[in-house]
Amino acid sequence: MPRRDSTESSIPEIAKLLDIRKQGGSGIVLVLGARAGAFYRLSSTFQEMIMGFSERSLQGLSRSAAFDECYRVLNEHSFSERDLDSIFQAALRDVTVTDADLCLADLVKEEYFSEIITTNIDDLLEQAFNQAGVREGQHYEVFIPGRSYEQRLQHPERRLCRVIKVFGDLVARVYDARRQRSYLDRQARLKEHLQQVLESDILVIGLDPVWDAELIDLIPLDGGQSSTWFVDEDAPPAESRLARVFNARQALYLTGWDGHYDNFLKALFWHLKSSMPTNIRNFFDILSELRKINSEYKISQRERRETQEMLQTTLMQLSSLQQQTEQCFQLVTSELSMLREQLGSLQRLLLRED
């Protein structure tokens, strides 16, 4: 299977492609698979919840293989919609936006992508947009199958980055997490649009052969003159539909450490912008300020300790002086008493002589 070595040398090539497409005013299509989503990055928590309903074991399986096994359990078990919603909500309770999510949000704001097709039902992308100041209606618009505004899919009102949540949205409670093979067949307009868009230049990150099988089936084998980039930790299985698609399209591969969602997007952003996203820079500015305050506080504490030590020394000196003064006062008092007695004796003698 043709592939590039999993080295950082190919990331500059992708960055160059994005710059060229942006300058030409076209952008490219970004495809985010299940391995770029919240469930995969929370794989251990998610696996424990799902595999509690199975007698099979995940022991000895790779991270991606265990993730795919969870998909099979979801489809084999008769979960109700309420059960699924409870499982997904609980699994995503502690998930947070990463630096890579913020890098992606900034790239969207800079108009590097004309469209984002995601198979994830979580709202991490929208959270990252919000934190990065990327506003819906100003920078992007979201399409969810089954929603009324899907009718604008073919003819968007303005030139915004279109975010298509292929399998729905958990927050909106409109989704199909089990993704039965007939799902996209019921979404004729969406299916037609996806097939058309996926003929163009696409950058694919974290596409999973099992979780994302329905979308993979829509990627045309003939990409014409378009470019196709495949980014993931692992190369697709040799006999999989995903491998056949990218072989036919002569896709360029980036796998291994550089192919990890977080590593790739942060490195890509650096090559494009030679800096960190604004939100991350702000974070480090705040961190630097906190460190400065902490340092000043430590200095203040040290000065306070020194002042307390000086005060204690002064108090000890005053206490000693007080003791000395009291002792002197007692001595003077005793002397005065003796003098008074002597004076009294002299006065009595004088009176007798008179």
Side-chain angles (χ1 to χ4, degrees), residues 200-261:
S200 57
D201 297 321
I202 57 175
L203 170 60
V204 181
I205 305 177
L207 207 59
D208 188 277
V210 176
W211 283 81
D212 304 320
E214 278 199 86
L215 181 65
I216 293 170
D217 286 344
L218 297 184
I219 302 176
L221 292 176
D222 183 8
Q225 298 299 315
S226 62
S227 299
T228 303
W229 296 83
F230 174 80
V231 178
D232 190 56
E233 298 169 62
D234 307 312
E239 302 303 322
S240 67
R241 161 73 180 176
L242 184 58
R244 292 197 298 273
V245 167
F246 289 117
N247 279 329
R249 293 175 68 115
Q250 296 183 335
L252 300 176
Y253 289 80
L254 180 62
T255 57
W257 192 89
D258 286 339
H260 187 281
Y261 172 83

Short mmCIF file of all heavy atoms in Angstrom, two decimals, residues 200-261:
data_model
loop_
_atom_site.label_atom_id
_atom_site.label_comp_id
_atom_site.label_asym_id
_atom_site.label_seq_id
_atom_site.Cartn_x
_atom_site.Cartn_y
_atom_site.Cartn_z
N SER A 200 -13.63 16.49 -4.24
CA SER A 200 -12.64 17.58 -4.29
C SER A 200 -11.44 17.28 -3.39
O SER A 200 -11.28 16.16 -2.91
CB SER A 200 -13.33 18.89 -3.87
OG SER A 200 -13.90 18.74 -2.58
N ASP A 201 -10.59 18.29 -3.18
CA ASP A 201 -9.43 18.13 -2.30
C ASP A 201 -9.90 17.87 -0.88
O ASP A 201 -10.67 18.66 -0.32
CB ASP A 201 -8.57 19.39 -2.32
CG ASP A 201 -7.99 19.66 -3.70
OD1 ASP A 201 -7.60 18.70 -4.38
OD2 ASP A 201 -7.94 20.84 -4.09
N ILE A 202 -9.42 16.79 -0.28
CA ILE A 202 -9.85 16.47 1.09
C ILE A 202 -8.65 16.16 1.98
O ILE A 202 -7.69 15.52 1.57
CB ILE A 202 -10.85 15.30 1.13
CG1 ILE A 202 -10.25 14.04 0.48
CG2 ILE A 202 -12.16 15.67 0.47
CD1 ILE A 202 -11.15 12.81 0.60
N LEU A 203 -8.74 16.65 3.20
CA LEU A 203 -7.79 16.32 4.25
C LEU A 203 -8.56 15.51 5.28
O LEU A 203 -9.49 16.00 5.90
CB LEU A 203 -7.22 17.60 4.89
CG LEU A 203 -6.39 17.42 6.16
CD1 LEU A 203 -5.17 16.53 5.91
CD2 LEU A 203 -5.97 18.78 6.71
N VAL A 204 -8.19 14.24 5.42
CA VAL A 204 -8.92 13.31 6.27
C VAL A 204 -8.12 13.04 7.55
O VAL A 204 -6.97 12.61 7.48
CB VAL A 204 -9.18 11.98 5.53
CG1 VAL A 204 -9.96 11.02 6.42
CG2 VAL A 204 -9.92 12.24 4.23
N ILE A 205 -8.72 13.29 8.70
CA ILE A 205 -8.05 13.08 9.97
C ILE A 205 -8.87 12.11 10.83
O ILE A 205 -10.04 12.37 11.12
CB ILE A 205 -7.86 14.40 10.76
CG1 ILE A 205 -7.12 15.43 9.90
CG2 ILE A 205 -7.10 14.15 12.05
CD1 ILE A 205 -6.97 16.78 10.58
N GLY A 206 -8.24 11.01 11.23
CA GLY A 206 -8.86 10.10 12.19
C GLY A 206 -10.07 9.33 11.70
O GLY A 206 -10.96 9.00 12.48
N LEU A 207 -10.10 9.01 10.43
CA LEU A 207 -11.23 8.24 9.89
C LEU A 207 -11.09 6.77 10.32
O LEU A 207 -10.05 6.16 10.11
CB LEU A 207 -11.26 8.35 8.37
CG LEU A 207 -12.62 8.19 7.67
CD1 LEU A 207 -13.61 9.24 8.17
CD2 LEU A 207 -12.45 8.32 6.17
N ASP A 208 -12.13 6.23 10.92
CA ASP A 208 -12.09 4.86 11.44
C ASP A 208 -12.82 3.92 10.49
O ASP A 208 -13.97 4.18 10.13
CB ASP A 208 -12.75 4.81 12.82
CG ASP A 208 -12.56 3.47 13.50
OD1 ASP A 208 -13.36 2.55 13.20
OD2 ASP A 208 -11.64 3.32 14.32
N PRO A 209 -12.17 2.81 10.07
CA PRO A 209 -12.78 1.89 9.10
C PRO A 209 -14.11 1.29 9.56
O PRO A 209 -14.94 0.91 8.73
CB PRO A 209 -11.72 0.79 8.94
CG PRO A 209 -10.44 1.43 9.35
CD PRO A 209 -10.80 2.39 10.44
N VAL A 210 -14.32 1.20 10.87
CA VAL A 210 -15.55 0.60 11.40
C VAL A 210 -16.59 1.66 11.74
O VAL A 210 -17.72 1.64 11.24
CB VAL A 210 -15.24 -0.27 12.64
CG1 VAL A 210 -16.52 -0.81 13.26
CG2 VAL A 210 -14.32 -1.41 12.26
N TRP A 211 -16.23 2.60 12.59
CA TRP A 211 -17.17 3.63 13.01
C TRP A 211 -17.64 4.50 11.84
O TRP A 211 -18.78 4.97 11.82
CB TRP A 211 -16.53 4.53 14.06
CG TRP A 211 -16.45 3.94 15.43
CD1 TRP A 211 -15.51 3.05 15.90
CD2 TRP A 211 -17.34 4.17 16.53
NE1 TRP A 211 -15.76 2.73 17.20
CE2 TRP A 211 -16.87 3.41 17.63
CE3 TRP A 211 -18.47 4.98 16.70
CZ2 TRP A 211 -17.52 3.41 18.87
CZ3 TRP A 211 -19.10 4.99 17.93
CH2 TRP A 211 -18.63 4.21 19.00
N ASP A 212 -16.76 4.73 10.88
CA ASP A 212 -17.06 5.68 9.80
C ASP A 212 -17.31 4.99 8.46
O ASP A 212 -17.19 5.60 7.40
CB ASP A 212 -15.90 6.67 9.66
CG ASP A 212 -15.61 7.40 10.96
OD1 ASP A 212 -16.56 7.76 11.67
OD2 ASP A 212 -14.41 7.60 11.27
N ALA A 213 -17.68 3.72 8.50
CA ALA A 213 -17.81 2.93 7.27
C ALA A 213 -18.80 3.53 6.29
O ALA A 213 -18.57 3.53 5.07
CB ALA A 213 -18.22 1.49 7.62
N GLU A 214 -19.92 4.04 6.78
CA GLU A 214 -20.94 4.60 5.87
C GLU A 214 -20.40 5.80 5.10
O GLU A 214 -20.69 5.96 3.91
CB GLU A 214 -22.18 5.01 6.67
CG GLU A 214 -23.12 3.86 6.95
CD GLU A 214 -24.51 4.35 7.31
OE1 GLU A 214 -25.31 4.58 6.39
OE2 GLU A 214 -24.77 4.50 8.51
N LEU A 215 -19.64 6.65 5.77
CA LEU A 215 -19.08 7.81 5.09
C LEU A 215 -17.99 7.38 4.10
O LEU A 215 -17.89 7.92 3.00
CB LEU A 215 -18.50 8.81 6.09
CG LEU A 215 -17.90 10.08 5.49
CD1 LEU A 215 -18.98 10.91 4.80
CD2 LEU A 215 -17.20 10.91 6.55
N ILE A 216 -17.19 6.41 4.50
CA ILE A 216 -16.12 5.92 3.62
C ILE A 216 -16.70 5.40 2.31
O ILE A 216 -16.12 5.60 1.23
CB ILE A 216 -15.31 4.81 4.33
CG1 ILE A 216 -14.55 5.40 5.52
CG2 ILE A 216 -14.33 4.14 3.37
CD1 ILE A 216 -13.91 4.38 6.43
N ASP A 217 -17.87 4.77 2.38
CA ASP A 217 -18.51 4.26 1.17
C ASP A 217 -18.87 5.36 0.19
O ASP A 217 -19.04 5.10 -1.01
CB ASP A 217 -19.77 3.48 1.54
CG ASP A 217 -19.46 2.11 2.15
OD1 ASP A 217 -18.30 1.66 2.01
OD2 ASP A 217 -20.36 1.51 2.77
N LEU A 218 -19.00 6.59 0.67
CA LEU A 218 -19.39 7.70 -0.20
C LEU A 218 -18.20 8.40 -0.85
O LEU A 218 -18.39 9.21 -1.75
CB LEU A 218 -20.19 8.74 0.61
CG LEU A 218 -21.52 8.28 1.21
CD1 LEU A 218 -22.22 9.45 1.89
CD2 LEU A 218 -22.42 7.67 0.15
N ILE A 219 -16.98 8.10 -0.41
CA ILE A 219 -15.81 8.74 -0.99
C ILE A 219 -15.55 8.13 -2.37
O ILE A 219 -15.28 6.93 -2.47
CB ILE A 219 -14.57 8.58 -0.10
CG1 ILE A 219 -14.83 9.16 1.30
CG2 ILE A 219 -13.36 9.27 -0.73
CD1 ILE A 219 -13.68 8.94 2.27
N PRO A 220 -15.60 8.93 -3.43
CA PRO A 220 -15.40 8.38 -4.79
C PRO A 220 -14.01 7.79 -4.96
O PRO A 220 -13.02 8.32 -4.45
CB PRO A 220 -15.59 9.61 -5.68
CG PRO A 220 -16.36 10.59 -4.86
CD PRO A 220 -15.90 10.37 -3.45
N LEU A 221 -13.94 6.67 -5.65
CA LEU A 221 -12.64 6.05 -5.92
C LEU A 221 -11.80 6.91 -6.85
O LEU A 221 -10.58 6.90 -6.79
CB LEU A 221 -12.84 4.66 -6.51
CG LEU A 221 -13.44 3.60 -5.58
CD1 LEU A 221 -13.68 2.30 -6.35
CD2 LEU A 221 -12.51 3.35 -4.40
N ASP A 222 -12.48 7.63 -7.74
CA ASP A 222 -11.77 8.48 -8.69
C ASP A 222 -11.83 9.92 -8.21
O ASP A 222 -12.89 10.57 -8.26
CB ASP A 222 -12.40 8.37 -10.08
CG ASP A 222 -11.65 9.19 -11.12
OD1 ASP A 222 -10.56 9.71 -10.78
OD2 ASP A 222 -12.14 9.30 -12.25
N GLY A 223 -10.71 10.42 -7.73
CA GLY A 223 -10.66 11.81 -7.26
C GLY A 223 -10.22 12.78 -8.32
O GLY A 223 -10.08 13.98 -8.05
N GLY A 224 -10.02 12.29 -9.56
CA GLY A 224 -9.59 13.17 -10.64
C GLY A 224 -8.25 13.80 -10.34
O GLY A 224 -7.29 13.13 -9.98
N GLN A 225 -8.18 15.13 -10.46
CA GLN A 225 -6.94 15.86 -10.21
C GLN A 225 -6.86 16.37 -8.77
O GLN A 225 -5.93 17.09 -8.42
CB GLN A 225 -6.86 17.06 -11.17
CG GLN A 225 -6.82 16.67 -12.63
CD GLN A 225 -5.60 15.82 -12.96
OE1 GLN A 225 -4.48 16.12 -12.53
NE2 GLN A 225 -5.81 14.75 -13.71
N SER A 226 -7.82 15.99 -7.96
CA SER A 226 -7.85 16.49 -6.58
C SER A 226 -6.80 15.80 -5.72
O SER A 226 -6.33 14.71 -6.02
CB SER A 226 -9.24 16.29 -5.98
OG SER A 226 -9.55 14.91 -5.93
N SER A 227 -6.45 16.46 -4.62
CA SER A 227 -5.48 15.92 -3.67
C SER A 227 -6.20 15.28 -2.49
O SER A 227 -7.23 15.78 -2.04
CB SER A 227 -4.55 17.03 -3.16
OG SER A 227 -3.81 17.61 -4.22
N THR A 228 -5.63 14.18 -2.00
CA THR A 228 -6.21 13.50 -0.85
C THR A 228 -5.11 13.22 0.16
O THR A 228 -4.10 12.61 -0.15
CB THR A 228 -6.86 12.16 -1.28
OG1 THR A 228 -7.84 12.41 -2.29
CG2 THR A 228 -7.52 11.48 -0.09
N TRP A 229 -5.33 13.69 1.39
CA TRP A 229 -4.37 13.50 2.47
C TRP A 229 -5.02 12.68 3.56
O TRP A 229 -6.11 13.00 4.02
CB TRP A 229 -3.90 14.83 3.04
CG TRP A 229 -3.15 15.68 2.05
CD1 TRP A 229 -3.69 16.51 1.10
CD2 TRP A 229 -1.74 15.77 1.89
NE1 TRP A 229 -2.68 17.11 0.37
CE2 TRP A 229 -1.48 16.67 0.84
CE3 TRP A 229 -0.66 15.18 2.55
CZ2 TRP A 229 -0.20 17.00 0.43
CZ3 TRP A 229 0.62 15.51 2.14
CH2 TRP A 229 0.85 16.41 1.09
N PHE A 230 -4.35 11.62 3.98
CA PHE A 230 -4.87 10.74 5.03
C PHE A 230 -3.97 10.85 6.25
O PHE A 230 -2.77 10.57 6.18
CB PHE A 230 -4.90 9.29 4.54
CG PHE A 230 -5.27 8.30 5.61
CD1 PHE A 230 -6.59 8.11 5.97
CD2 PHE A 230 -4.29 7.54 6.25
CE1 PHE A 230 -6.94 7.19 6.95
CE2 PHE A 230 -4.62 6.63 7.23
CZ PHE A 230 -5.95 6.46 7.58
N VAL A 231 -4.54 11.29 7.37
CA VAL A 231 -3.78 11.50 8.60
C VAL A 231 -4.39 10.65 9.72
O VAL A 231 -5.57 10.82 10.06
CB VAL A 231 -3.78 12.99 9.02
CG1 VAL A 231 -3.02 13.18 10.32
CG2 VAL A 231 -3.19 13.85 7.91
N ASP A 232 -3.61 9.75 10.27
CA ASP A 232 -4.09 8.92 11.39
C ASP A 232 -2.90 8.24 12.05
O ASP A 232 -1.81 8.17 11.48
CB ASP A 232 -5.09 7.87 10.89
CG ASP A 232 -5.80 7.17 12.04
OD1 ASP A 232 -6.41 7.87 12.87
OD2 ASP A 232 -5.73 5.94 12.12
N GLU A 233 -3.13 7.73 13.26
CA GLU A 233 -2.06 7.02 13.97
C GLU A 233 -1.66 5.74 13.23
O GLU A 233 -0.50 5.35 13.23
CB GLU A 233 -2.52 6.66 15.38
CG GLU A 233 -2.85 7.87 16.24
CD GLU A 233 -3.54 7.47 17.52
OE1 GLU A 233 -2.93 6.74 18.34
OE2 GLU A 233 -4.70 7.88 17.73
N ASP A 234 -2.65 5.08 12.61
CA ASP A 234 -2.41 3.81 11.92
C ASP A 234 -2.80 3.91 10.46
O ASP A 234 -3.74 4.62 10.09
CB ASP A 234 -3.22 2.68 12.57
CG ASP A 234 -2.98 2.58 14.07
OD1 ASP A 234 -1.80 2.60 14.47
OD2 ASP A 234 -3.96 2.51 14.83
N ALA A 235 -2.10 3.18 9.61
CA ALA A 235 -2.51 3.05 8.22
C ALA A 235 -3.75 2.15 8.18
O ALA A 235 -3.90 1.27 9.03
CB ALA A 235 -1.39 2.42 7.39
N PRO A 236 -4.67 2.37 7.25
CA PRO A 236 -5.88 1.53 7.20
C PRO A 236 -5.53 0.08 6.88
O PRO A 236 -4.54 -0.18 6.18
CB PRO A 236 -6.70 2.18 6.09
CG PRO A 236 -5.72 2.91 5.24
CD PRO A 236 -4.65 3.37 6.18
N PRO A 237 -6.29 -0.88 7.38
CA PRO A 237 -6.05 -2.30 7.05
C PRO A 237 -5.99 -2.50 5.54
O PRO A 237 -6.76 -1.91 4.79
CB PRO A 237 -7.26 -3.01 7.66
CG PRO A 237 -7.71 -2.10 8.77
CD PRO A 237 -7.45 -0.71 8.28
N ALA A 238 -5.08 -3.33 5.11
CA ALA A 238 -4.81 -3.49 3.67
C ALA A 238 -6.04 -3.87 2.85
O ALA A 238 -6.20 -3.44 1.72
CB ALA A 238 -3.71 -4.53 3.47
N GLU A 239 -6.92 -4.70 3.41
CA GLU A 239 -8.09 -5.17 2.66
C GLU A 239 -9.35 -4.36 2.92
O GLU A 239 -10.43 -4.73 2.48
CB GLU A 239 -8.35 -6.64 3.01
CG GLU A 239 -7.18 -7.57 2.72
CD GLU A 239 -6.76 -7.50 1.25
OE1 GLU A 239 -7.65 -7.40 0.39
OE2 GLU A 239 -5.54 -7.53 0.99
N SER A 240 -9.21 -3.27 3.65
CA SER A 240 -10.39 -2.47 3.99
C SER A 240 -10.83 -1.59 2.83
O SER A 240 -10.06 -1.29 1.92
CB SER A 240 -10.10 -1.61 5.22
OG SER A 240 -9.12 -0.63 4.91
N ARG A 241 -12.09 -1.17 2.89
CA ARG A 241 -12.62 -0.24 1.90
C ARG A 241 -11.84 1.07 1.93
O ARG A 241 -11.55 1.66 0.89
CB ARG A 241 -14.10 0.02 2.20
CG ARG A 241 -14.71 1.25 1.57
CD ARG A 241 -14.94 1.12 0.08
NE ARG A 241 -15.53 2.35 -0.46
CZ ARG A 241 -15.76 2.56 -1.75
NH1 ARG A 241 -15.48 1.61 -2.63
NH2 ARG A 241 -16.29 3.68 -2.16
N LEU A 242 -11.46 1.50 3.13
CA LEU A 242 -10.70 2.74 3.28
C LEU A 242 -9.37 2.66 2.53
O LEU A 242 -8.97 3.61 1.84
CB LEU A 242 -10.45 3.03 4.76
CG LEU A 242 -9.75 4.34 5.10
CD1 LEU A 242 -10.51 5.53 4.56
CD2 LEU A 242 -9.56 4.47 6.61
N ALA A 243 -8.68 1.54 2.63
CA ALA A 243 -7.40 1.37 1.93
C ALA A 243 -7.62 1.39 0.42
O ALA A 243 -6.83 2.01 -0.32
CB ALA A 243 -6.75 0.06 2.35
N ARG A 244 -8.67 0.76 -0.05
CA ARG A 244 -8.96 0.74 -1.50
C ARG A 244 -9.25 2.15 -2.01
O ARG A 244 -8.82 2.53 -3.11
CB ARG A 244 -10.13 -0.19 -1.80
CG ARG A 244 -9.82 -1.67 -1.56
CD ARG A 244 -10.83 -2.57 -2.25
NE ARG A 244 -12.19 -2.36 -1.74
CZ ARG A 244 -12.69 -2.98 -0.68
NH1 ARG A 244 -11.94 -3.82 0.01
NH2 ARG A 244 -13.93 -2.76 -0.31
N VAL A 245 -9.99 2.91 -1.23
CA VAL A 245 -10.33 4.27 -1.63
C VAL A 245 -9.08 5.12 -1.78
O VAL A 245 -8.87 5.79 -2.80
CB VAL A 245 -11.28 4.92 -0.59
CG1 VAL A 245 -11.38 6.44 -0.81
CG2 VAL A 245 -12.66 4.30 -0.67
N PHE A 246 -8.22 5.08 -0.79
CA PHE A 246 -7.04 5.95 -0.83
C PHE A 246 -5.97 5.44 -1.79
O PHE A 246 -5.19 6.24 -2.32
CB PHE A 246 -6.50 6.15 0.58
CG PHE A 246 -7.39 7.03 1.42
CD1 PHE A 246 -8.01 6.54 2.56
CD2 PHE A 246 -7.63 8.34 1.05
CE1 PHE A 246 -8.84 7.34 3.32
CE2 PHE A 246 -8.47 9.15 1.81
CZ PHE A 246 -9.07 8.65 2.94
N ASN A 247 -5.94 4.15 -2.02
CA ASN A 247 -5.04 3.63 -3.05
C ASN A 247 -5.47 4.12 -4.42
O ASN A 247 -4.67 4.55 -5.25
CB ASN A 247 -5.00 2.10 -3.02
CG ASN A 247 -4.08 1.57 -1.94
OD1 ASN A 247 -3.09 2.19 -1.60
ND2 ASN A 247 -4.42 0.41 -1.41
N ALA A 248 -6.80 4.04 -4.66
CA ALA A 248 -7.33 4.46 -5.96
C ALA A 248 -7.11 5.96 -6.18
O ALA A 248 -6.85 6.40 -7.30
CB ALA A 248 -8.82 4.12 -6.04
N ARG A 249 -7.19 6.73 -5.11
CA ARG A 249 -7.03 8.19 -5.23
C ARG A 249 -5.58 8.63 -5.07
O ARG A 249 -5.28 9.82 -5.08
CB ARG A 249 -7.90 8.89 -4.18
CG ARG A 249 -9.39 8.73 -4.42
CD ARG A 249 -10.19 9.33 -3.27
NE ARG A 249 -10.07 10.79 -3.22
CZ ARG A 249 -11.08 11.64 -3.41
NH1 ARG A 249 -12.29 11.17 -3.70
NH2 ARG A 249 -10.89 12.93 -3.32
N GLN A 250 -4.68 7.64 -4.90
CA GLN A 250 -3.26 7.93 -4.71
C GLN A 250 -3.06 8.93 -3.57
O GLN A 250 -2.34 9.93 -3.69
CB GLN A 250 -2.64 8.45 -6.01
CG GLN A 250 -2.67 7.42 -7.14
CD GLN A 250 -2.00 7.91 -8.40
OE1 GLN A 250 -1.89 9.11 -8.64
NE2 GLN A 250 -1.54 6.98 -9.21
N ALA A 251 -3.70 8.63 -2.48
CA ALA A 251 -3.64 9.51 -1.32
C ALA A 251 -2.24 9.53 -0.72
O ALA A 251 -1.48 8.57 -0.83
CB ALA A 251 -4.64 9.04 -0.27
N LEU A 252 -1.90 10.63 -0.09
CA LEU A 252 -0.65 10.77 0.62
C LEU A 252 -0.92 10.50 2.10
O LEU A 252 -1.88 11.03 2.66
CB LEU A 252 -0.08 12.17 0.42
CG LEU A 252 0.21 12.53 -1.04
CD1 LEU A 252 0.67 13.98 -1.14
CD2 LEU A 252 1.26 11.61 -1.62
N TYR A 253 -0.08 9.67 2.71
CA TYR A 253 -0.32 9.22 4.07
C TYR A 253 0.60 9.90 5.08
O TYR A 253 1.77 10.16 4.82
CB TYR A 253 -0.09 7.70 4.18
CG TYR A 253 -1.13 6.87 3.49
CD1 TYR A 253 -1.10 6.67 2.11
CD2 TYR A 253 -2.15 6.27 4.21
CE1 TYR A 253 -2.05 5.91 1.47
CE2 TYR A 253 -3.11 5.50 3.59
CZ TYR A 253 -3.07 5.33 2.22
OH TYR A 253 -4.02 4.56 1.59
N LEU A 254 0.04 10.15 6.23
CA LEU A 254 0.83 10.62 7.37
C LEU A 254 0.35 9.83 8.58
O LEU A 254 -0.78 10.00 9.04
CB LEU A 254 0.62 12.12 7.61
CG LEU A 254 1.41 12.72 8.78
CD1 LEU A 254 2.91 12.60 8.54
CD2 LEU A 254 1.03 14.18 8.98
N THR A 255 1.18 8.93 9.06
CA THR A 255 0.78 8.05 10.16
C THR A 255 1.79 8.12 11.30
O THR A 255 2.76 8.87 11.25
CB THR A 255 0.66 6.59 9.67
OG1 THR A 255 1.91 6.18 9.09
CG2 THR A 255 -0.44 6.45 8.65
N GLY A 256 1.54 7.32 12.33
CA GLY A 256 2.44 7.30 13.48
C GLY A 256 2.20 8.49 14.40
O GLY A 256 1.09 9.02 14.51
N TRP A 257 3.27 8.94 15.08
CA TRP A 257 3.15 10.02 16.06
C TRP A 257 2.61 11.29 15.42
O TRP A 257 1.75 11.96 15.98
CB TRP A 257 4.52 10.28 16.67
CG TRP A 257 4.49 11.17 17.89
CD1 TRP A 257 4.34 10.78 19.18
CD2 TRP A 257 4.63 12.59 17.90
NE1 TRP A 257 4.37 11.88 20.01
CE2 TRP A 257 4.54 13.01 19.26
CE3 TRP A 257 4.80 13.56 16.92
CZ2 TRP A 257 4.63 14.34 19.64
CZ3 TRP A 257 4.88 14.90 17.30
CH2 TRP A 257 4.81 15.28 18.63
N ASP A 258 3.11 11.62 14.22
CA ASP A 258 2.65 12.83 13.53
C ASP A 258 1.20 12.72 13.08
O ASP A 258 0.55 13.73 12.83
CB ASP A 258 3.53 13.11 12.30
CG ASP A 258 4.89 13.66 12.68
OD1 ASP A 258 5.01 14.19 13.79
OD2 ASP A 258 5.83 13.54 11.87
N GLY A 259 0.71 11.49 12.95
CA GLY A 259 -0.66 11.29 12.49
C GLY A 259 -1.69 11.39 13.60
O GLY A 259 -2.90 11.36 13.32
N HIS A 260 -1.24 11.49 14.85
CA HIS A 260 -2.18 11.66 15.96
C HIS A 260 -2.86 13.02 15.84
O HIS A 260 -2.21 14.03 15.56
CB HIS A 260 -1.43 11.55 17.28
CG HIS A 260 -2.32 11.54 18.49
ND1 HIS A 260 -2.86 12.69 19.02
CD2 HIS A 260 -2.76 10.51 19.27
CE1 HIS A 260 -3.59 12.39 20.07
NE2 HIS A 260 -3.54 11.06 20.24
N TYR A 261 -4.16 13.06 16.06
CA TYR A 261 -4.95 14.28 15.91
C TYR A 261 -4.30 15.49 16.58
O TYR A 261 -4.10 16.54 15.97
CB TYR A 261 -6.36 14.04 16.47
CG TYR A 261 -7.23 15.27 16.56
CD1 TYR A 261 -7.94 15.73 15.45
CD2 TYR A 261 -7.36 15.98 17.75
CE1 TYR A 261 -8.74 16.87 15.52
CE2 TYR A 261 -8.16 17.11 17.84
CZ TYR A 261 -8.85 17.54 16.73
OH TYR A 261 -9.64 18.67 16.81
#
